[in-house]
Amino acid sequence: MTYTDDTIDLLRDSAAEFLAERREFSAHKADVTAAAPFAADLWRELAELGWLGLGLPEEHGGPGFGLRESAVLCEQFGRVASPVPYLAASALPAAVLKHAGHLDKLAPMLTSGERPFAVAWQDTDAASPQIIYEAAQVTGTHRFVVAADNTSVLLVNASDQGAPLWVAVDAASPQVKLERFAMGIGDAAHVHFDHAPVLFGEPLMTGDAAQQATRDTQQAGRLAIAAQLIGLTSGVLDKTLAYVSDRVQFARPIASFQSIRHRCVDLYIGMRLAKASLNTALRAYEAAPDAPATQAAISAAKARCGDVAVQTGREAIQMHGAMGFTEEGGVGVYLRAAMHLRAWLGTPMQQRRQYLALRAAGEVNHVTA
Amino acid sequence: MSLLDSHPDRNALPDDEFRQQFRSWLAANYPPEFKQDHRRPFRRLRGENHLRWIRLLHRDGWRAPSWPREAGGMGLSFQKLVIYQQEMERIGAARVIDNGETLFGPTLIHFGSAEQKQHYLPKVLNGEHIWAQGYSEPNAGSDLASLRTRAEDQGDHYVVNGQKIWTTHAEECTHIFMLVRTGAPGQYAKKQQGISFLLIDLKTAGITIRPIRTIAGEVELCEVFFDNVRVPKENLIGELDKGWDLAKALLGHERVWLGSTAMATQALKLAREVVIQTGQQNDAGVMDRLAQLETDLHDYRQLYAEIIDDIAARGAQAGPEVSMLKVYISELQQRITEFSVEMAGIHGGVTGDVQINAMLTDLHWQWMMARPVSIFAGCNEVQRDILARAVLKLPESVGGK
């Protein structure tokens, strides 16, 4: 299936309605610094809704669609500040699996919700040691693996004597150790492999296909993260606009004070800039995923969405007054989520440098048409 | 009425061909000395240069792109107007302040009588009349409806007394269209009522024009004083006392062009050149700040395009959300000009032309010329008020306006 504006709107509306009714999808943790167990029951509900593995081809048991649909769902999870790791455990793995072998086995595993997936890879953390692949086993450590759980299927990038490849590893294997911790409003783990056997006894992909998967997952991942950041931004902005309109001090709603009104306007403009930037990047990705202009547009969008989400979260706390400082006020959770997503797959500063480098290379034409 | 001449109907062309034709025409005809450069990144055409440009456009049928063809314009669709603007921006064409074409003409076409159109429109097109806009007064700026310049009915004519201010290029104009108060004191409940839209020949006895020097070192604004100025009755446009409606109607698509990226684009070109000419391309601090400005403009372009495409697709008038555009781009332009001055170090302290390595520039001028963009056409504070009320729908104070 391919997307149309109608199916996108339908998906957005039904996701918004579902998530608004099901508060457990945005339930907050009692101890924000503790890792929580994977919410397997909620995950299976997502499978029943047909939301898992979007982008995987139908002929291999995937639901079809593409990144645009995934991004719509990421945005909706962001709007309710949901800790359910849809992005990390479905959207990102689907981007890797698009290029993978053994998809006929892996796709149903993901889409049925039978197993959560997590992507353990070299991304922007240069301190990560290489994972070595030898004789159908992997050894080494990947750090900051988002949503990794001991029930996960881990998609791992590794190297075979310097040549990149991707493998799948069962996190429940005794040769895999997870150090889990809280990350944003969800969880992540440092994952240690000690001669861990790979599923299917062979890599999912090697050579150019493996490199392509890494590049594509980075770009798709940045877009999905940007979409979730937009959801966080619009979610907390709506909450704040409602709050300042209701909250009465000095016998008038605080939204009537110009100092509040103008700040709300600036946050709104920021959100619209972020949305416009992301829409351009999504269209560019769909038209020519590997083009330098697409990479530049994605970097600009990732940087903008990260900055705007953090700024909106910070301002939201201030405009909620003391209520904003409480966990139960439900505002801080948006900022906490944004702090993680802003950094994941590249901070705004790194992304803007990337944008400028592509521009300076003359590969991105600034002038319209 | 037919002002239609023999020029081809370019609105009928496919968009790509239209773009190509205009691009070729500009390449062959645009005077190179008019183009913006590092010294004058926001150059405007004045006096004789302005007239020369108007006549060039008029000669070849590229004049008044937004006017209907029966009024002598090009009758372009919104989409083609966007292309027209893009091509001008692409070659770094100078800005043109042509109130006759952008403000007066559309008002007359909509509200004027057949005789008024027949008389005035051709003279706007051929440059015989150059129009000034007479709205602001010393005590009626952002709060325009508080204006006090009066026109008294004297039977067969009006007598106008009062003062206008911030009238751009008034010394180079032949005529002025004005908002004047015609309602008697106490006649109306609201200050927007009792205002009329009046045309005045600037050569009429009793008019004094006093130029105002700006902080950019130029004379572009004027005060215009009216002392018992006799104005023929046929110079009233639309209904007596209903001039506010005419003025409001002008705020349609015109507000969209206030969001144009042309000036910020020129400012950023200069900023890049300042970084290069001062040899700071490898300074991470400088480059991070440049990257911020570059991505700000990139993202803004996407928002501007999104809103323009939406208006084109719906065929609708611009909504209140276009106030966002003016607010953001004017402040971005200011941030870029400030960056250039700061990055230029001591060169940035020079008032006037300064040579930085291979570049001749005038950093003081571009900084100062970027000040009024957040003030004119409804200052940004007022724009933010509009956005808070009309887009975010935030409640106002009890008993407030």
Side-chain angles (χ1 to χ4, degrees), chain A:
Chain A
M1 259 195 275
T2 53
Y3 89 90
T4 64
D5 286 350
D6 286 347
T7 61
I8 288 284
D9 289 344
L10 201 64
L11 184 64
R12 178 182 295 112
D13 293 349
S14 63
E17 199 177 326
F18 176 81
L19 291 171
E21 283 168 6
R22 298 294 306 277
R23 295 193 63 81
E24 56 270 44
F25 278 88
S26 45
H28 305 142
K29 294 191 270 192
D31 177 356
V32 297
T33 65
F38 189 83
D41 48 337
L42 300 184
W43 197 249
R44 274 188 294 274
E45 282 197 63
L46 299 188
E48 284 161 26
L49 289 163
W51 291 359
L52 298 183
L54 290 183
L56 294 179
E58 287 166 292
E59 63 267 32
H60 294 297
F65 290 113
L67 184 64
R68 189 171 283 267
E69 286 75 9
S70 260
V72 163
L73 291 181
C74 288
E75 183 179 342
Q76 294 307 320
F77 279 103
R79 274 186 65 82
V80 298
S82 175
V84 175
Y86 177 77
L87 201 171
S90 173
L92 208 57
V96 179
L97 288 176
K98 255 186 2 192
H99 305 268
H102 301 287
L103 193 50
D104 52 332
K105 303 254 178 13
L106 289 168
M109 231 183 264
L110 173 57
T111 56
S112 67
E114 174 194 338
R115 300 284 296 270
F117 279 57
V119 181
W121 59 334
Q122 297 290 139
D123 51 296
T124 51
D125 183 25
S128 295
Q130 281 287 335
I131 302 280
I132 303 303
Y133 174 88
E134 198 181 6
Q137 296 177 339
V138 284
T139 298
T141 296
H142 272 311
R143 300 165 70 217
F144 303 107
V145 180
V146 180
D149 178 84
N150 54 17
T151 63
S152 299
V153 173
L154 300 168
L155 302 175
V156 183
N157 81 340
S159 93
D160 181 3
Q161 297 178 348
L165 50 78
W166 282 87
V167 298
V169 175
D170 188 341
S173 151
Q175 292 83 14
V176 178
K177 295 264 177 307
L178 273 69
E179 274 180 78
R180 299 181 77 242
F181 47 88
M183 186 92 162
I185 56 174
D187 312 286
H190 299 323
V191 184
H192 308 283
F193 303 90
D194 181 11
H195 295 92
V198 308
L199 295 176
F200 315 111
E202 62 173 0
L204 302 177
M205 57 213 137
T206 60
D208 288 348
Q211 273 176 325
Q212 179 65 34
T214 305
R215 274 199 306 271
D216 193 42
T217 305
Q218 274 178 348
Q219 301 295 48
R222 287 182 182 123
L223 286 166
I225 293 168
Q228 188 137 347
L229 283 161
I230 290 212
L232 291 168
T233 305
S234 68
V236 79
L237 181 57
D238 284 354
K239 220 171 149 65
T240 304
L241 294 177
Y243 181 80
V244 297
S245 298
D246 284 349
R247 170 76 175 164
V248 173
Q249 288 286 276
F250 307 103
R252 51 199 276 204
I254 62 171
S256 65
F257 292 103
Q258 204 170 49
S259 61
I260 298 283
R261 298 169 81 76
H262 286 192
R263 282 158 69 193
C264 288
V265 164
D266 286 336
L267 294 177
Y268 176 77
I269 294 174
M271 183 190 71
R272 291 292 304 265
L273 282 173
K275 278 190 175 176
S277 188
L278 176 60
N279 284 337
T280 295
L282 264 175
R283 277 196 306 274
Y285 176 83
E286 285 166 348
D290 295 328
T294 300
Q295 293 175 41
I298 291 173
S299 288
K302 172 71 175 55
R304 174 73 46 189
C305 294
D307 275 344
V308 161
V310 167
Q311 188 200 357
T312 309
R314 206 178 51 210
E315 288 267 41
I317 291 171
Q318 175 69 20
M319 287 194 259
H320 276 77
M323 192 53 76
F325 190 54
T326 67
E327 187 63 17
E328 71 180 71
V331 183
V333 70
Y334 284 89
L335 178 61
R336 186 178 301 132
M339 284 163 67
H340 167 222
L341 296 186
R342 179 175 70 162
W344 194 13
L345 299 191
T347 64
M349 187 174 78
Q350 291 164 340
Q351 293 297 302
R352 285 192 297 264
R353 286 178 178 178
Q354 174 76 7
Y355 174 92
L356 196 62
L358 288 159
R359 241 201 69 74
E363 297 184 89
V364 182
N365 185 4
H366 224 321
V367 176
T368 322

